Amino acid sequence: MNQATWTALDDYITDRFVPADPVLAAALADSAAADLPPHHVAPPQGKLLHLLARLMGARRILELGTLGAYSTIWLARALPPGGRVITLEFSPKHAAVARGNITRAGLDDVIELREGAAIDSLAQLVAEGAEPFDLIFIDADKPNNPAYVRGALQLARPGTLLILDNVVRNGGILDPASDAPGVQGTRDALDLLAAEPRVSATALQTVGSKGWDGFALALVIA
Ligand code: SAH
Ligand code: DHB
Ligand code: MG
């Protein structure tokens, strides 16, 4: 078992279950051409996010960490007419690429990209009295994950699903003394979810083209 096998198997799954899509392909191509880091979810994971959103009948989705809007487009395409994604991105460069990809996808009226630090945008959404979101995908800078979980809980209702990406990091989160960036933040976020009576949570390890990583899922129950 090695990375080449995991990637080949992701390709095998993608061949079967993720139809070739010029809009998503162009979003990845433009992201790569602009030198954005290759941190987008893998195609089978994008489809999983899409299916989870459909399964829930999500109408309002919040995303932290847009990058080139690859996951954003997958999520937006799960919405019924009138649904909305708000996606938060700190980097003006990433936001510019994302805007181009969103426009090409024909999703300008569905996706609202808010530029700035996600901490500030979360506080702004709370201050605005934003309606609760149905699904919140947390995939920005990992050191802030505890603050993102707390912010997400303020914008949730019973029935909201929180999804955190990158909770395994090649096993890195097993090391309580790790100084790798993001490990402490993700460990603290998982501990916070474990101790939070408002959620019922689990986490799943994944392998694939993104290596060995994982998602945490937390259903808000109160
Ligand atoms: N969800 C995307 C990948 C996001 S990568 C996908 O799967 O397609 C993480 C993104 O978080 C990067 O674009 C990075 O610029 C952004 N980011 C980093 N720090 C941030 C912050 N403080 N606030 C908001 N976004 C941030
Ligand atoms: C990184 C961030 C991500 O969101 C991801 O899915 C993969 C890698 C990173 O910062 O290294
Ligand atoms: Mg990620």
Side-chain angles (χ1 to χ4, degrees):
M1 295 293 208
N2 54 34
Q3 183 58 59
T5 316
W6 297 343
T7 298
L9 203 91
D10 248 2
D11 291 346
Y12 175 93
I13 294 166
T14 300
D15 280 348
R16 275 152 191 79
F17 298 120
V18 188
D21 185 302
V23 164
L24 287 171
L28 293 184
D30 279 13
S31 299
D35 270 327
L36 268 48
H39 292 164
H40 54 87
V41 293
Q45 298 176 333
K47 181 116 183 229
L48 175 69
L49 295 173
H50 172 89
L51 291 174
L52 288 169
R54 279 177 64 177
L55 177 69
M56 299 179 71
R59 305 184 65 87
R60 287 176 55 77
I61 296 176
L62 177 63
E63 176 179 68
L64 282 62
T66 315
L67 192 62
Y70 180 75
S71 55
T72 323
I73 293 169
W74 270 114
L75 288 165
R77 286 175 167 182
L79 293 169
R84 193 156 188 77
V85 179
I86 297 180
T87 185
L88 313 179
E89 175 56 54
F90 179 70
S91 155
K93 177 180 167 180
H94 299 184
V97 174
R99 285 203 176 87
N101 288 334
I102 291 165
T103 299
R104 185 200 286 111
L107 291 167
D108 284 323
D109 295 337
V110 176
I111 298 171
E112 179 188 344
L113 195 167
R114 294 194 181 191
E115 225 176 286
I119 294 266
D120 298 338
S121 300
L122 284 170
Q124 174 70 26
L125 283 164
V126 171
E128 280 170 18
E131 258 180 73
F133 293 89
D134 305 313
L135 190 163
I136 303 177
F137 180 46
I138 300 177
D139 191 23
D141 52 315
K142 315 310 174 191
N144 280 317
N145 269 342
Y148 294 158
V149 167
R150 280 187 222 102
L153 285 170
Q154 288 187 271
L155 292 163
R157 52 152 179 92
T160 298
L161 181 65
L162 312 186
I163 305 176
L164 267 79
D165 194 20
N166 310 113
V167 301
V168 171
R169 290 289 180 112
N170 287 304
I173 65 149
L174 272 183
D175 177 6
S178 172
D179 57 3
V183 164
Q184 290 307 331
T186 297
R187 285 177 62 91
D188 291 347
L190 294 177
D191 288 347
L192 202 157
L193 287 172
E196 172 55 64
R198 282 187 66 204
V199 309
S200 179
T202 191
L204 281 180
Q205 307 181 61
T206 57
V207 292
S209 60
K210 307 287 305 284
W212 174 29
D213 214 326
F215 289 111
L217 283 89
L219 180 65
V220 177
I221 53 173

mmCIF file of all heavy atoms in Angstrom, residues 39-40 139-140 142 165-166 169 210 213, ligand 2:
data_model
loop_
_atom_site.group_PDB
_atom_site.id
_atom_site.type_symbol
_atom_site.label_atom_id
_atom_site.label_comp_id
_atom_site.label_asym_id
_atom_site.label_seq_id
_atom_site.Cartn_x
_atom_site.Cartn_y
_atom_site.Cartn_z
ATOM 1 N N HIS A 39 -4.656 22.120 -2.565
ATOM 2 C CA HIS A 39 -5.273 21.695 -1.313
ATOM 3 C C HIS A 39 -6.771 21.461 -1.416
ATOM 4 O O HIS A 39 -7.436 21.233 -0.412
ATOM 5 C CB HIS A 39 -4.971 22.715 -0.205
ATOM 6 C CG HIS A 39 -3.523 22.749 0.174
ATOM 7 N ND1 HIS A 39 -2.957 23.778 0.885
ATOM 8 C CD2 HIS A 39 -2.527 21.863 -0.068
ATOM 9 C CE1 HIS A 39 -1.662 23.532 1.073
ATOM 10 N NE2 HIS A 39 -1.383 22.385 0.494
ATOM 11 N N HIS A 40 -7.319 21.536 -2.622
ATOM 12 C CA HIS A 40 -8.740 21.232 -2.831
ATOM 13 C C HIS A 40 -9.040 19.783 -2.465
ATOM 14 O O HIS A 40 -8.168 18.910 -2.559
ATOM 15 C CB HIS A 40 -9.115 21.479 -4.299
ATOM 16 C CG HIS A 40 -8.222 20.721 -5.243
ATOM 17 N ND1 HIS A 40 -8.472 19.416 -5.626
ATOM 18 C CD2 HIS A 40 -7.063 21.073 -5.837
ATOM 19 C CE1 HIS A 40 -7.505 19.011 -6.413
ATOM 20 N NE2 HIS A 40 -6.634 19.990 -6.566
ATOM 21 N N ASP A 139 -12.636 24.309 6.444
ATOM 22 C CA ASP A 139 -11.480 23.870 5.652
ATOM 23 C C ASP A 139 -10.540 25.040 5.389
ATOM 24 O O ASP A 139 -10.037 25.204 4.283
ATOM 25 C CB ASP A 139 -11.987 23.254 4.332
ATOM 26 C CG ASP A 139 -10.896 22.522 3.570
ATOM 27 O OD1 ASP A 139 -9.911 22.102 4.201
ATOM 28 O OD2 ASP A 139 -11.041 22.369 2.347
ATOM 29 N N ALA A 140 -10.329 25.874 6.416
ATOM 30 C CA ALA A 140 -9.424 27.026 6.246
ATOM 31 C C ALA A 140 -8.110 26.738 6.968
ATOM 32 O O ALA A 140 -7.618 25.612 6.917
ATOM 33 C CB ALA A 140 -10.118 28.293 6.739
ATOM 34 N N LYS A 142 -5.769 25.638 9.791
ATOM 35 C CA LYS A 142 -6.084 24.669 10.842
ATOM 36 C C LYS A 142 -5.839 25.167 12.271
ATOM 37 O O LYS A 142 -6.563 24.739 13.185
ATOM 38 C CB LYS A 142 -5.347 23.354 10.586
ATOM 39 C CG LYS A 142 -5.413 22.869 9.117
ATOM 40 C CD LYS A 142 -6.812 22.860 8.533
ATOM 41 C CE LYS A 142 -6.807 22.520 7.038
ATOM 42 N NZ LYS A 142 -8.104 22.745 6.386
ATOM 43 N N ASP A 165 -12.351 19.278 7.584
ATOM 44 C CA ASP A 165 -11.421 18.551 6.719
ATOM 45 C C ASP A 165 -10.058 18.427 7.407
ATOM 46 O O ASP A 165 -9.746 19.173 8.334
ATOM 47 C CB ASP A 165 -11.270 19.297 5.385
ATOM 48 C CG ASP A 165 -10.592 18.453 4.309
ATOM 49 O OD1 ASP A 165 -10.570 17.213 4.434
ATOM 50 O OD2 ASP A 165 -10.089 19.039 3.332
ATOM 51 N N ASN A 166 -9.292 17.462 6.960
ATOM 52 C CA ASN A 166 -7.864 17.331 7.318
ATOM 53 C C ASN A 166 -7.643 17.046 8.803
ATOM 54 O O ASN A 166 -6.747 17.616 9.420
ATOM 55 C CB ASN A 166 -7.103 18.610 6.900
ATOM 56 C CG ASN A 166 -7.381 18.991 5.467
ATOM 57 O OD1 ASN A 166 -8.001 20.020 5.195
ATOM 58 N ND2 ASN A 166 -6.967 18.142 4.534
ATOM 59 N N ARG A 169 -4.099 14.150 8.839
ATOM 60 C CA ARG A 169 -2.773 14.670 8.490
ATOM 61 C C ARG A 169 -1.675 13.616 8.568
ATOM 62 O O ARG A 169 -0.717 13.754 9.324
ATOM 63 C CB ARG A 169 -2.420 15.863 9.398
ATOM 64 C CG ARG A 169 -3.248 17.103 9.130
ATOM 65 C CD ARG A 169 -2.808 17.654 7.806
ATOM 66 N NE ARG A 169 -3.522 18.844 7.406
ATOM 67 C CZ ARG A 169 -2.963 20.048 7.330
ATOM 68 N NH1 ARG A 169 -1.722 20.244 7.675
ATOM 69 N NH2 ARG A 169 -3.657 21.049 6.881
ATOM 70 N N LYS A 210 -5.176 12.580 -1.911
ATOM 71 C CA LYS A 210 -4.714 13.569 -0.929
ATOM 72 C C LYS A 210 -3.894 12.931 0.191
ATOM 73 O O LYS A 210 -3.656 13.571 1.211
ATOM 74 C CB LYS A 210 -5.906 14.319 -0.316
ATOM 75 C CG LYS A 210 -6.867 14.960 -1.282
ATOM 76 C CD LYS A 210 -6.290 16.219 -1.942
ATOM 77 C CE LYS A 210 -5.818 17.251 -0.979
ATOM 78 N NZ LYS A 210 -6.895 18.015 -0.354
ATOM 79 N N ASP A 213 -5.643 11.038 5.329
ATOM 80 C CA ASP A 213 -6.216 12.180 6.049
ATOM 81 C C ASP A 213 -7.592 11.784 6.570
ATOM 82 O O ASP A 213 -7.863 10.580 6.762
ATOM 83 C CB ASP A 213 -6.261 13.412 5.127
ATOM 84 C CG ASP A 213 -6.023 14.701 5.913
ATOM 85 O OD1 ASP A 213 -6.450 14.758 7.073
ATOM 86 O OD2 ASP A 213 -5.422 15.641 5.364
HETATM 87 C C1 DHB B 2 -3.658 21.615 3.465
HETATM 88 C C2 DHB B 2 -4.892 22.208 3.681
HETATM 89 C C3 DHB B 2 -6.042 21.551 3.272
HETATM 90 O O1 DHB B 2 -7.280 22.073 3.485
HETATM 91 C C4 DHB B 2 -5.970 20.326 2.622
HETATM 92 O O2 DHB B 2 -7.135 19.712 2.272
HETATM 93 C C5 DHB B 2 -4.734 19.743 2.394
HETATM 94 C C6 DHB B 2 -3.580 20.397 2.809
HETATM 95 C C7 DHB B 2 -2.429 22.295 3.933
HETATM 96 O O3 DHB B 2 -2.525 23.439 4.431
HETATM 97 O O4 DHB B 2 -1.351 21.701 3.831
#
